[in-house]
Amino acid sequence: MLRKKTNGVARRPQRTSILSAAAEKSVDRRTFLRGSGLAIGGLAAIGATGGTVTQAQAQDAANTAVQTVKSVCTHCSVGCTVVAEVQSGVWIGQEPGWDSPFNLGAHCAKGASVREHAHGERRLKYPMKKEGGEWKRISWEQAIDEIGDGMMKIREESGPDSVYWLGSAKHNNEQAYLFRKFAAYWGTNNVDHQARICHSTTVAGVANTWGYGAMTNSYNDIHNSKAIFIIGGNPAEAHPVSLLHVLRAKERNNAPLIVCDPRFTRTAAHADEYVRFRPGTDVALVWGLLWHIFENGWEDKEFIRTRVWGMDQIREEVRNWNPEEVERVTGTPGSQLRRVARTLVNNRPGTVIWCMGGTQHTNGNNNTRAYCILQLALGNMGTEGGGTNIFRGHDNVQGATDLGVLSHTLPGYYGLSKGAWAHWARVWEEDGEWLGNQFAKTTGADGKEKSLQNLTGIPVSRWIDGVLEDPENMDNPDKVRAMVLWGHAPNSQTRGKEMKTAMENLDMLVVVDPYPTVSAVMQDRTDGVYLLPACTQFETRGSVTASNRSFQWRDAVVAPLFESKPDHEIMGMFANKFGWADRFFRNIEMEDENTPNVESVTREFNKGLWTIGYTGQSPERIKLHMANQHTFDRTTLRANGGPADGDYYGLPWPCWGTAEMGHPGTPNLYDMSKRVSEGGLTFRARFGVERDGDNLLAEGVASLDSEIQDGYPEFTMQMLMDLGWDGDLTDEERASIDAVAGPKTNWKTDLSGGIQRVAIKHECAPFGNAKARAVVWTFPDPIPLHREPLYTPRRDLVEDYPTYEDRKFYRLPTMYASIQKQDFSKDYPIVLTSGRLVEYEGGGDETRSNPWLAELQQDMFVEINPRDANNLGVRDRAQVWVEGAEGAKVKVMAMVTNRVGEGVAFMPFHFGGHFEGEDLRSKYPAGADPYVLGESTNTAQTYGYDSVTQMQETKCTLCKIWAA
């Protein structure tokens, strides 16, 4: 099963196989691939040529030159360039992009084997449905008709919100944008994607601190850091190429690397200081650091005075976290935290990096805000080498988030208010009343009718409750009856046993993916399951947004293989089936009846995403950057000469105004040392101008050469008029502004870009110049607080640090105190956490289907501390049962190791295909089962959701372990 294919080595073009050279004339590409065993139940290679081999001619070889095509790795968010070598339409080899400023000629194991992702023999090859317990091949036409008819029936009986559209961080920007627009035209906000369960607490916490919820600097800017503080992140395995940039700072600046993690990771092995702490106590740990900083007067007082609001309230909370209390809660000695605090203070600017170890908690939004507050206290924001470098997970999870594949907002974080819908109706040139009528109505608590168009939908973390919860307890009109998992691994979500039940209770389950995924096998349905083969991102083109907010363009390496189709074409097929394709694509050029032109889609979202500056990155500018990567500086990311001279690589958003305006992009958010026209920025005036009589705008500071040398609110047409700057508008810009709301039109809703252009002409930030806020008065915890996990092993701390009261939000009742009041720690004494491996990614379906990666890691396992293992009578590599506190269990191999501390166990989350000890391989469509199967840690993971975003809790639940 774990054999390497003889033609799978990706090196140089001279390794053309005998078969491809011999059969050049007589076999087309698809036949060749089928004959090479790259199809489910593929033919023998010799059979593809009719049993004969044609004589090779020298002239034939000359006419089949190898072409190189640039693409971007489809795994993590670093954005590594892949240079594919293509001959006669067949991808025969690959190299890393040596010119790329991101990967600098490097690849991790996953990136080095992406050719197998496209050409992999375990892919889903054609549409299938489950009928009478058997997988049956069907045509695309039959699939779309049957699925569409079923959905329309559900819509008629239960309303549009009974169909859930689950999107993907694997979509490119154009597909992600169309997916959110598609959900709007269907008439539901029950749409979401992986960001909900990876960095939604980052986006919420960071955006509500200083305006934008994204990485503030870049991987490359870490070269300038004098200290690096990583908490809840393991980039050595999760983002391996990013470690090149971290280690460059260590080498160039002698920057100390501090890693805080409950587990001694491969990243921790590089650390100058490793800080082990109890899972779920991040806020207490950060407040412990700030206690030393405030106690010694080490904070940046001038930065706080001019650019931060609410730090005095933070100081009051931090006073409670003396070294003794911090050690009682976190387990980390106060002496170590004093040493870490001094290191950060003495090595400024330093950067803070975090990943899902910090976000996936019931109080994840508190964690992310605490990290931000640490940087504000140190004055490390808005500077090279500083910032919060938030490493996103999937290759386009940043872009899919920006483009609104979320249940609580439209593209560009506009929200769901009437004004937000009016803005996008203008962009789409759609009748707002028609669009509103696509949505269902509900009766509010006040007895008034409300449109679900303006209410947040069910998040992906809770879709199973949308199926299983009594409608009387929900704000959803009826249960979710059809689930569309479009590029999503269900084993990446907690409560796996309940998910199985939810899948079995659906009327219809639709999977759109290059691979069948665990969705195809984890349920015991005999019918009502459809598998639609989407092609990989190497078989289409479009833009993607890396973690640092830079755009890159993928060209198609090969045409779609087998019977797979690009995601945007599949959306077009459904739009035609539902009868509104003409409206949906009215302003988008079409390549055929179902297929929108990708560049035309880019231009449409360029017209509407003014909030985050997704407007200046035209397809032409992005492609120009990809073609001239060698001209960009490896640290500053700025082009030094060449056709993109002065631009920052990938035009990191915000790239203000229109493409014609030529803004270079913003490399480091909130950096006032540069002109706004040259990539500088202030903190965003997003929260008003005063609070309780306090000024929320910046005090006497502004970006370089700003004509307003003080704080100022966000720009509106009225503000331009008051300043006398409205005369700088063109007649066309003024007419466009008048058509929206006249003087009330602001920088976010002006479709001409005129307000932004004029503000920047005067070197002002269109979104204002404000203070960051350390206190978010709109959140359940305005000041970040430590709260014990729902399934805590420390019952002695529950009274002092209780969780929240149960409440309803995102349409669903959500439990907190009712769970925490029960003591599970006696029966389940070990803390269970989870994370990534270097070999696999996400739910693992595609990477475990890759023979090169599958060979590297063949077993699902649990890490157990030696003391715990000895007490349990468990030996290394023995099979054990791990049972979560809600009773679901998994059978895995034990790895006895000191990586985890006593009382803590760790499992990776990339496995699937086993369920509570049962091997499900026989349930996959023939030949489409991944090489490696295993239990999913999320089968055993338990209930728990963030108080703001409904992020799932995966980092600190409880379990028990025994020998199998």
Side-chain angles (χ1 to χ4, degrees):
M1 184 59 67
L2 291 169
R3 59 183 175 82
K4 292 181 181 176
K5 293 204 293 284
T6 56
N7 67 339
V9 180
R11 280 290 185 191
R12 293 286 185 184
Q14 64 264 28
R15 289 159 289 88
T16 308
S17 71
I18 293 172
L19 178 62
S20 66
E24 192 65 56
K25 279 187 174 179
S26 57
V27 183
D28 66 19
R29 181 177 52 81
R30 288 175 183 258
T31 307
F32 166 75
L33 290 170
R34 286 195 295 269
S36 299
L38 296 180
I40 296 174
L43 301 171
I46 194 68
T49 64
T52 62
V53 175
T54 341
Q55 184 174 357
Q57 301 291 329
Q59 186 61 42
D60 296 338
N63 291 334
T64 55
V66 174
Q67 298 175 312
T68 58
V69 181
K70 274 188 182 178
S71 189
V72 178
C73 179
T74 54
H75 292 298
C76 83
S77 65
V78 173
C80 298
T81 294
V82 176
V83 180
E85 298 162 347
V86 181
Q87 189 174 41
S88 300
V90 179
W91 187 356
I92 62 170
Q94 70 173 82
E95 293 284 351
W98 292 91
D99 289 336
S100 167
F102 291 163
N103 56 309
L104 308 172
H107 266 333
C108 71
K110 294 186 288 288
S113 61
V114 289
R115 177 187 169 277
E116 282 292 334
H117 177 33
H119 280 305
E121 63 185 41
R122 320 306 281 187
R123 276 180 57 176
L124 182 65
K125 301 301 188 295
Y126 34 72
M128 306 188 82
K129 65 181 281 190
K130 205 165 198 182
E131 192 172 76
E134 300 294 328
W135 291 111
K136 176 183 176 183
R137 180 177 180 173
I138 58 175
S139 68
W140 272 103
E141 292 70 25
Q142 181 182 348
I144 297 296
D145 278 344
E146 290 186 9
I147 295 168
D149 290 343
M151 287 182 174
M152 293 300 286
K153 183 173 184 290
I154 290 170
R155 181 190 179 94
E156 185 178 338
E157 293 172 353
S158 300
D161 292 284
S162 285
V163 178
Y164 196 108
W165 298 93
L166 177 49
S168 182
K170 295 304 183 193
H171 287 153
N172 61 35
N173 285 328
E174 291 71 23
Q175 293 163 343
Y177 168 75
L178 286 177
F179 195 87
R180 185 58 180 93
K181 183 179 179 182
F182 185 97
Y185 273 64
W186 170 260
T188 187
N189 291 323
N190 282 343
V191 56
D192 218 359
H193 82 292
Q194 288 88 352
R196 179 72 56 188
I197 55 175
C198 62
H199 271 290
S200 64
T201 46
T202 290
V203 176
V206 176
N208 278 281
T209 299
W210 46 54
Y212 284 147
M215 177 188 270
T216 62
N217 292 40
S218 68
Y219 295 108
N220 302 69
D221 184 66
I222 297 170
H223 304 174
N224 296 313
S225 299
K226 300 298 190 294
I228 304 154
F229 181 86
I230 301 177
I231 182 166
N234 181 17
E237 297 198 70
H239 309 80
V241 174
S242 74
L243 209 65
L244 289 176
H245 302 291
V246 172
L247 295 179
R248 178 166 293 192
K250 284 197 70 176
E251 295 163 4
R252 191 160 83 176
N253 307 330
N254 198 27
L257 173 61
I258 300 155
V259 175
C260 305
D261 202 291
R263 176 173 171 257
F264 188 81
T265 62
R266 292 188 184 185
T267 304
H270 292 276
D272 298 280
E273 180 98 40
Y274 167 62
V275 180
R276 195 191 293 274
F277 67 103
R278 180 167 66 92
T281 61
D282 299 56
V283 173
L285 187 85
V286 174
W287 284 175
L289 291 171
L290 276 176
W291 187 91
H292 291 287
I293 292 169
F294 289 148
E295 190 76 8
N296 292 280
W298 293 336
E299 70 273 23
D300 188 329
K301 299 177 180 63
E302 182 61 12
F303 183 90
I304 293 170
R305 184 187 71 80
T306 58
R307 300 194 69 188
V308 184
W309 179 85
M311 193 62 82
D312 287 345
Q313 296 177 58
I314 299 298
R315 193 186 300 268
E316 288 298 314
E317 172 63 22
V318 167
R319 281 200 184 102
N320 299 320
W321 292 96
N322 58 53
E324 294 73 28
E325 185 63 7
V326 173
E327 184 167 1
R328 181 173 83 102
V329 172
T330 68
T332 306
S335 58
Q336 184 179 28
L337 290 187
R338 178 180 173 84
R339 185 167 63 246
V340 170
R342 286 187 66 93
T343 300
L344 294 175
V345 166
N346 292 334
N347 294 276
R348 291 187 260 194
T351 188
V352 170
I353 297 168
W354 73 83
C355 301
M356 294 191 295
T359 63
Q360 291 183 330
H361 296 274
T362 51
N363 65 337
N365 75 87
N366 286 354
N367 294 344
T368 61
R369 287 187 291 137
Y371 308 151
C372 294
I373 290 165
L374 175 63
Q375 285 294 74
L376 291 172
L378 292 169
N380 280 337
M381 292 308 301
T383 182
E384 293 179 353
T388 51
N389 282 307
I390 304 145
F391 290 7
R392 302 300 298 261
H394 292 285
D395 59 305
N396 199 40
V397 69
Q398 184 63 57
T401 305
D402 296 337
L403 289 156
V405 187
L406 298 161
S407 65
H408 64 278
T409 187
L410 287 164
Y413 309 98
Y414 277 83
L416 297 173
S417 67
K418 290 182 179 179
W421 282 102
H423 169 74
W424 281 105
R426 284 192 293 271
V427 175
W428 298 331
E429 296 181 17
E430 185 56 82
D431 177 357
E433 184 177 355
W434 179 89
L435 198 57
N437 287 337
Q438 289 293 94
F439 286 78
K441 305 291 192 295
T442 187
T443 303
D446 56 4
K448 296 181 180 178
E449 186 179 71
K450 296 180 180 179
S451 172
L452 288 171
Q453 184 181 26
N454 308 118
L455 297 180
T456 56
I458 296 172
V460 59
S461 52
R462 304 292 306 279
W463 76 262
I464 57 179
D465 295 305
V467 179
L468 301 176
E469 185 64 67
D470 186 337
E472 290 294 317
N473 299 329
M474 297 192 290
D475 291 334
N476 214 51
D478 201 347
K479 291 187 175 188
V480 171
R481 294 175 56 189
M483 190 72 197
V484 182
L485 294 105
W486 202 317
H488 180 81
N491 50 315
S492 63
Q493 291 184 239
T494 57
R495 299 166 61 200
K497 197 166 184 177
E498 289 171 273
M499 186 182 299
K500 177 179 183 293
T501 303
M503 286 182 170
E504 291 163 356
N505 276 270
L506 291 166
D507 290 32
M508 182 190 301
L509 176 63
V510 181
V511 177
V512 189
D513 201 279
Y515 295 86
T517 78
V518 175
S519 301
V521 299
M522 69 179 289
Q523 33 69 30
D524 291 328
R525 299 179 66 102
T526 58
D527 53 33
V529 183
Y530 292 86
L531 307 179
L532 304 183
C535 67
T536 71
Q537 288 296 318
F538 297 114
E539 298 153 75
T540 185
R541 68 186 191 276
S543 66
V544 288
T545 308
S547 197
N548 74 309
R549 298 167 285 107
S550 282
F551 280 58
Q552 298 188 98
W553 191 269
R554 285 192 181 112
D555 284 324
V557 176
V558 291
L561 302 183
F562 318 111
E563 291 184 23
S564 68
K565 292 181 179 293
D567 297 282
H568 51 279
E569 181 182 348
I570 301 170
M571 292 178 215
M573 295 174 78
F574 276 118
N576 274 302
K577 174 66 179 177
F578 296 144
W580 34 255
D582 289 347
R583 308 182 77 114
F584 189 70
F585 294 122
R586 62 158 54 91
N587 296 312
I588 296 172
E589 299 169 15
M590 301 296 290
E591 296 180 357
D592 59 41
E593 180 186 16
N594 297 314
T595 311
N597 175 271
V598 173
E599 289 82 355
S600 186
V601 178
T602 314
R603 293 186 184 100
E604 182 171 285
F605 70 63
N606 285 158
K607 293 177 183 176
L609 274 91
W610 302 97
T611 42
I612 55 174
Y614 256 59
T615 49
Q617 304 96 337
S618 66
E620 293 77 14
R621 292 186 80 189
I622 305 169
K623 292 177 183 180
L624 183 72
H625 284 212
M626 289 297 289
N628 293 277
Q629 289 177 318
H630 61 285
T631 66
F632 292 88
D633 186 272
R634 301 304 193 250
T635 296
T636 66
L637 294 180
R638 195 169 195 182
N640 182 21
D645 187 28
D647 284 356
Y648 292 97
Y649 180 67
L651 303 166
W653 67 259
C655 182
W656 298 113
T658 61
E660 292 71 28
M661 186 172 133
H663 189 270
T666 307
N668 299 324
L669 296 177
Y670 322 121
D671 181 358
M672 297 200 303
S673 70
K674 296 182 179 71
R675 299 177 182 90
V676 174
S677 65
E678 297 177 355
L681 208 57
T682 53
F683 286 133
R684 182 176 172 185
R686 188 180 179 188
F687 317 114
V689 298
E690 66 88 26
R691 174 74 177 172
D692 298 332
D694 289 345
N695 176 35
L696 295 180
L697 302 178
E699 302 271 6
V701 292
S703 52
L704 182 65
D705 291 340
S706 170
E707 293 186 24
I708 304 176
Q709 284 292 309
D710 201 357
Y712 50 87
E714 63 179 357
F715 273 79
T716 63
M717 178 60 177
Q718 184 65 56
M719 186 168 164
L720 291 186
M721 293 164 63
D722 293 344
L723 290 166
W725 296 352
D726 57 308
D728 294 332
L729 294 167
T730 66
D731 291 342
E732 292 79 7
E733 289 169 342
R734 187 179 291 271
S736 178
I737 291 167
D738 287 342
V740 175
K744 294 182 180 180
T745 307
N746 64 39
W747 64 282
K748 302 186 292 288
T749 57
D750 166 22
L751 299 187
S752 74
I755 293 175
Q756 291 194 8
R757 184 184 64 78
V758 172
I760 293 172
K761 178 182 179 182
H762 296 272
E763 295 300 348
C764 292
F767 64 24
N769 178 18
K771 294 175 179 175
R773 60 174 182 173
V775 178
V776 180
W777 55 82
T778 52
F779 277 16
D781 291 331
I783 296 169
L785 300 177
H786 168 66
R787 292 183 181 273
E788 279 295 303
L790 301 191
Y791 292 94
T792 176
R794 293 291 304 276
R795 302 304 302 175
D796 57 311
L797 296 176
V798 170
E799 184 176 349
D800 293 335
Y801 304 107
T803 188
Y804 308 93
E805 293 300 317
D806 294 2
R807 65 191 183 96
K808 181 191 284 188
F809 65 123
Y810 279 94
R811 303 193 183 185
L812 292 163
T814 306
M815 296 182 288
Y816 293 99
S818 60
I819 292 177
Q820 193 185 64
K821 70 181 182 181
Q822 305 171 63
D823 183 1
F824 295 89
S825 62
K826 292 185 176 65
D827 294 328
Y828 299 93
I830 296 175
V831 174
L832 176 61
T833 189
S834 65
R836 287 193 179 197
L837 300 176
V838 70
E839 299 88 355
Y840 297 141
E841 197 242 0
D845 293 288
E846 64 191 53
T847 44
R848 286 183 289 105
S849 297
N850 185 321
W852 303 100
L853 298 173
E855 186 173 21
L856 299 175
Q857 182 58 259
Q858 301 181 28
D859 296 296
M860 171 58 174
F861 60 91
V862 59
E863 293 180 356
I864 310 172
N865 182 271
R867 183 177 181 85
D868 292 328
N870 291 337
N871 289 338
L872 293 167
V874 168
R875 300 292 297 271
D876 189 50
R877 301 188 65 81
Q879 290 292 307
V880 297
W881 285 101
V882 181
E883 182 179 302
E886 291 170 2
K889 62 183 186 293
V890 296
K891 186 180 181 182
V892 298
M893 181 182 290
M895 176 185 288
V896 180
T897 174
N898 282 306
R899 289 179 190 169
V900 290
E902 185 180 349
V904 176
F906 165 89
M907 288 196 288
F909 61 75
H910 310 298
F911 290 82
H914 289 180
F915 193 85
E916 293 198 307
E918 181 186 356
D919 187 334
L920 306 179
R921 190 176 294 277
S922 64
K923 296 176 69 175
Y924 282 91
D929 49 318
Y931 292 108
V932 171
L933 303 181
E935 295 271 14
S936 169
T937 181
N938 284 315
T939 301
Q941 293 278 353
T942 53
Y943 191 101
Y945 300 98
D946 177 71
S947 62
V948 172
T949 72
Q950 293 272 4
M951 162 70 78
Q952 63 184 10
E953 170 71 77
T954 68
K955 302 305 181 188
C956 50
T957 186
L958 295 175
C959 71
K960 62 182 176 182
I961 301 172
W962 70 94

